Amino acid sequence: MLSVVVAPWAGEAEPVFVREPDELHDAASTMKVAVLAALYRSGVELDAEVPVVNRFASVVGGEFGNDPAWDSDPLPWELVGTAAPLRLLAERMITHSSNLATNLCLAQIDRATVAEAWRRAGATRSASPRGIEDYAARDAGVHNRVSARDLVRLLHSLGGEPELLALLEHNAFRVDLAAGLPPGTRIAFKNGWVPGARHSVGLVHPEDCPPYLIAVCYTGPLASGEDRTDPAARLLARVSAAVWERRGQIGGGIGREIG
């Protein structure tokens, strides 16, 4: 299943190209954008230091922990047993897609605050009600899921929060959407990968036309779960390159199917 939504950044960001825009996919790490928005809007003290632990409350009771083998960022694991500024953890959640940092950030806010981030964005299908690797919750039917349309809406909702968009520009994983753009092109984006799914949502800043939003979600056998060498990452890059070639058309037309 391949879902694509492309929209202008200006105005209400109504899509101009869509393909299966409302199909639900495993959220993977794209849900970290909602966690980031919720954290920054919550009023918590971002420069306060919080204990770096690896035990978290499951939404269905009991506790769970993260597996370092499934995390793409070693830094938070080096801090286990100490304390770290919440701002640093939020940054690593986005720039290096740290699972441990994500759950540490979630532990500082009510999950209703994350739900509000989706609601404020106008999302109609997406939700992230549990932490990453809360397998007991997953087995009980509590899932983090996203649609391409809702990811575009979520990123568009950060328009008045340049600090958050700036963090997304520092994404260390320059694959997926970024790999389909000419070198040096500005893009604020978040990607996510698990075996069987690969997604990315971004705000692209061409030099020759207005910025645009793009979300591509793929669920299928191409997705190996590798962070940089996943074959599905090359698929997302090809879609990104095709949209780039049509970037001058993104200012007009609504809801046209592609592919």
Side-chain angles (χ1 to χ4, degrees):
M1 172 64 67
L2 179 67
S3 300
V4 183
V5 172
V6 180
W9 173 246
E12 297 300 314
E14 288 295 331
V16 296
F17 300 124
V18 296
R19 183 183 193 278
E20 305 292 351
D22 299 311
E23 288 295 321
L24 285 175
H25 302 258
D26 185 314
S29 290
T30 57
M31 54 85 73
K32 293 170 183 175
V33 179
V35 177
L36 179 72
L39 184 71
Y40 270 69
R41 295 168 184 168
S42 69
V44 299
E45 177 51 61
L46 293 171
D47 292 316
E49 294 201 340
V50 299
V52 180
V53 297
N54 187 29
R55 298 307 300 171
F56 306 101
S58 169
V59 297
V60 295
E63 292 186 328
F64 72 98
N66 289 119
D67 182 347
W70 284 102
D71 207 330
S72 55
D73 184 12
L75 178 62
W77 292 95
E78 296 169 2
L79 300 175
V80 171
T82 69
L86 189 54
R87 188 185 303 275
L88 171 65
L89 296 171
E91 290 173 357
R92 300 302 289 199
M93 171 177 69
I94 297 300
T95 61
H96 290 72
S97 206
S98 169
N99 292 340
L100 180 61
T102 301
N103 285 337
L104 289 165
C105 289
L106 275 172
Q108 302 302 311
I109 54 177
D110 192 304
R111 281 177 172 77
T113 310
V114 182
E116 172 60 18
W118 284 112
R119 189 207 64 78
R120 176 171 163 178
T124 59
R125 306 210 67 200
S126 302
S128 42
R130 64 170 175 83
I132 294 177
E133 297 177 59
D134 185 351
Y135 296 132
R138 183 195 64 185
D139 293 344
V142 181
H143 299 292
N144 294 332
R145 288 180 173 152
V146 295
S147 72
R149 191 192 304 273
D150 285 346
L151 285 174
V152 160
R153 288 170 170 166
L154 179 62
L155 197 54
H156 187 254
S157 74
L158 305 185
E161 297 164 288
E163 183 177 358
L164 306 192
L165 291 173
L167 266 182
L168 290 161
E169 286 196 38
H170 287 90
N171 185 342
F173 293 92
R174 313 304 289 186
V175 291
D176 302 308
L177 298 180
L181 303 173
T185 303
R186 279 183 64 199
I187 178 172
F189 74 114
K190 184 73 192 78
N191 31 19
W193 53 89
V194 293
R198 184 100 193 182
H199 320 311
S200 193
V201 58
L203 169 61
V204 181
H205 293 271
E207 293 185 352
D208 57 354
C209 64
Y212 64 88
L213 294 154
I214 175 173
V216 184
C217 298
Y218 168 79
T219 297
L222 283 178
S224 68
E226 296 295 325
D227 52 11
R228 300 179 193 273
T229 59
D230 188 340
R234 296 193 289 275
L235 171 62
L236 269 61
R238 291 198 298 271
V239 174
S240 179
V243 172
W244 173 265
E245 291 300 316
R246 303 183 188 183
R247 64 193 180 280
Q249 304 172 28
I250 295 174
I254 295 177
R256 183 159 60 86
E257 288 279 341
I258 61 173

